[in-house]
Structure formats: C-alpha cells, structure tokens
Amino acid sequence: MFGVRVSYRARVRHRATLAERQLEICHLETACATWHQALDDFPMVQSGRADERVRAVFGLLRPHRKNAAARELYGRARTVASQLESA
C-alpha cells in the first residue's frame, strides 16, 4: 500500500506542475484538464506539498475565471481546499 500512496502523491505533484507549465504557455483549457486529473487522485494523498499545489490553483486561475473551464476547475479546487481546512 505504501508504494501506491507514493505513486499517487508523485502523480498529483507532477500533474500539478505540468498544469502550471501548460498555463504559462497559454494552454488554459489543457492546463485545466490536467489539474482535474491531479484532483482526481488528490483524495488518496496525504502530502503537504500536494496540499500546497491545490491551494496554488486559486492564484493561478484568478485572472482566467471568465473562461468556463477555469471557472469549473476553480470551483472544484475550492471544494477540495475546503475539505483540507476541515480535516
């Protein structure tokens, strides 16, 4: 089980980093899809770094909230972040 958890953690971190890079080169919708993949695995992870990546999405997406994909991701990330705060 330990190896599986490490794999999920690495996958969340790497997908979050990839999404950030995609956003940097103006691939907003691709970045949102990658972020959704990271959030899919997030519930199986206990990692401060992964938590930071989820929180980072707010600042990164704030300028893009008029875009439907960014708005949807922002809402989903908000739900996940609120679960972090209550845990």
Side-chain angles (χ1 to χ4, degrees), residues 7-8 12 16 20 26-27 31 41-42 47 70 80 82:
S7 176
Y8 280 118
V12 168
E20 290 173 16
C26 301
H27 291 259
D41 290 337
F42 186 78
S47 166
V80 170
S82 70

Side-chain angles (χ1 to χ4, degrees), residues 8-28:
Y8 280 118
R9 182 176 62 216
R11 195 161 50 190
V12 168
R13 282 192 356 256
H14 291 124
R15 285 180 174 165
T17 300
L18 175 60
E20 290 173 16
R21 299 301 175 262
Q22 290 167 333
L23 189 59
E24 286 175 4
I25 60 171
C26 301
H27 291 259
L28 175 61

Side-chain angles (χ1 to χ4, degrees), residues 20-70:
E20 290 173 16
R21 299 301 175 262
Q22 290 167 333
L23 189 59
E24 286 175 4
I25 60 171
C26 301
H27 291 259
L28 175 61
E29 302 210 355
T30 302
C32 289
T34 303
W35 260 108
H36 276 294
Q37 290 175 338
L39 291 176
D40 289 343
D41 290 337
F42 186 78
M44 294 164 265
V45 173
Q46 293 180 341
S47 166
R49 284 190 210 167
D51 294 353
E52 289 171 10
R53 303 316 266 205
V54 169
R55 289 184 184 105
V57 76
F58 298 114
L60 295 170
L61 288 180
R62 190 166 286 120
H64 306 283
R65 286 191 299 171
K66 290 185 179 186
N67 177 283

